[in-house]
Amino acid sequence: MQAFAPPLTPASAAGSGSRSAACTQSSFIPRATWRRKRFRGPTLRRCSSPDGHKSLPPETRKDLPMSATITINGAAVPLPSDPRVSLLDLLREQLHLSGTKKGCNQGACGACTVLVDGEQRILSCLALAVQYEGRAITSVEGLAADGALHPLQQAFIEHDGFQCGYCTPGQLCSALGMAAELRRGVPSYVTEDLAADAVALSHDEIRERMSGNLCRCGAYNGIVDAIAETVTQAAAAPQGKEPR
Ligand code: FES
Ligand code: FES
């Protein structure tokens, strides 16, 4: 395969083969300009937010360009101009939503789990914010509504599903994503009947499906009990769906 190389300048084309001769000031500047153009990143659209993001706190608005947007807990916010910013850093560093936790920052602990479009659980430390342009992200701050805790949050309290609480935001979002997978009939490694329409909810199913979320305090028994109670109650509700 032919290597892709920047255009040659007169100086480099006539190069003698030695490194110092090929990298004179006159050859370096055109090469640097070529690299800048090539790696400039995606072109962002202008934001169409009707209120110009006035609903956001000032510290959130001031550093961000009015460009493409992402919806965070129901509010449209501009995406960072730097396409290298992770979704986790957008939440924590730029939007000051520190509920989502940075544990390992490399996809191993689950502390940074958030929901996409209300159902899909993702690790925000492994996601670039620009990948989710136009999508709706729910972090732990978006679970409670009208001053009332989400039923799963309440169940975590009642079943002692946490100790230090560092893993809890990720556990909550992951459990809600897991419940959505159950409703869709997605099997797991321990599902016995792959042909069944509905996956039976057992503690083994919950433990397997939540195995990507680590708890250093070892509150697993309470976590599993809280999830089992909430998912079972939601399944028994008339609409057969999660309360929110
Ligand atoms: Fe994302 Fe650990 S911080 S998986
Ligand atoms: Fe402390 Fe889970 S409650 S890490």
Side-chain angles (χ1 to χ4, degrees):
M1 187 169 65
Q2 188 178 0
F4 192 56
L8 292 174
T9 63
S12 59
S16 63
S18 80
R19 185 174 177 81
S20 58
C23 192
T24 61
Q25 184 181 12
S26 61
S27 70
F28 173 77
I29 291 174
R31 281 172 183 245
T33 306
W34 176 85
R35 287 198 180 99
R36 229 181 8 255
K37 283 181 182 166
R38 180 157 170 70
F39 299 113
R40 193 167 41 198
T43 304
L44 300 178
R45 293 198 321 266
R46 285 200 65 76
C47 167
S48 57
S49 168
D51 70 350
H53 307 297
K54 291 189 175 61
S55 56
L56 293 171
E59 69 272 17
T60 297
R61 275 182 278 137
K62 72 176 184 227
D63 295 332
L64 297 170
M66 301 296 279
S67 56
T69 62
I70 184 172
T71 301
I72 308 288
N73 298 331
V77 301
L79 281 167
S81 55
D82 186 343
R84 297 167 300 179
V85 174
S86 72
L87 181 56
L88 178 58
D89 284 343
L90 172 67
L91 292 171
R92 289 182 58 84
E93 310 298 332
Q94 299 195 11
L95 302 180
H96 309 292
L97 296 172
S98 56
T100 306
K101 295 295 184 278
K102 183 181 279 189
C104 62
N105 205 29
Q106 57 181 10
C109 72
C112 63
T113 308
V114 296
L115 293 168
V116 179
D117 297 333
E119 293 212 334
Q120 182 192 356
R121 51 181 171 169
I122 61 163
L123 299 173
S124 59
C125 71
L126 296 186
L128 295 173
V130 293
Q131 286 179 277
Y132 291 90
E133 177 189 352
R135 309 284 294 275
I137 304 297
T138 304
S139 67
V140 69
E141 290 91 346
L143 297 184
D146 303 325
L149 291 177
H150 188 286
L152 184 59
Q153 291 175 303
Q154 191 62 44
F156 264 62
I157 294 172
E158 290 167 5
H159 289 275
D160 280 339
F162 56 88
Q163 198 174 104
C164 75
Y166 198 82
C167 71
T168 310
Q171 302 275 7
L172 291 165
C173 289
S174 186
L176 293 173
M178 183 210 72
E181 290 162 14
L182 276 173
R183 290 197 299 274
R184 295 197 300 272
V186 178
S188 77
Y189 179 71
V190 299
T191 303
E192 291 188 359
D193 185 359
L194 298 179
D197 288 339
V199 179
L201 182 67
S202 66
H203 279 204
D204 280 349
E205 277 286 352
I206 295 174
R207 288 181 186 277
E208 167 62 22
R209 289 168 187 269
M210 294 295 293
S211 59
N213 290 80
L214 305 183
C215 175
R216 291 149 186 86
C217 300
Y220 293 114
N221 288 339
I223 292 170
V224 170
D225 288 345
I227 295 172
E229 180 185 275
T230 309
V231 174
T232 304
Q233 287 178 355
Q239 71 276 30
K241 288 192 165 188
E242 289 292 321
R244 283 193 294 274

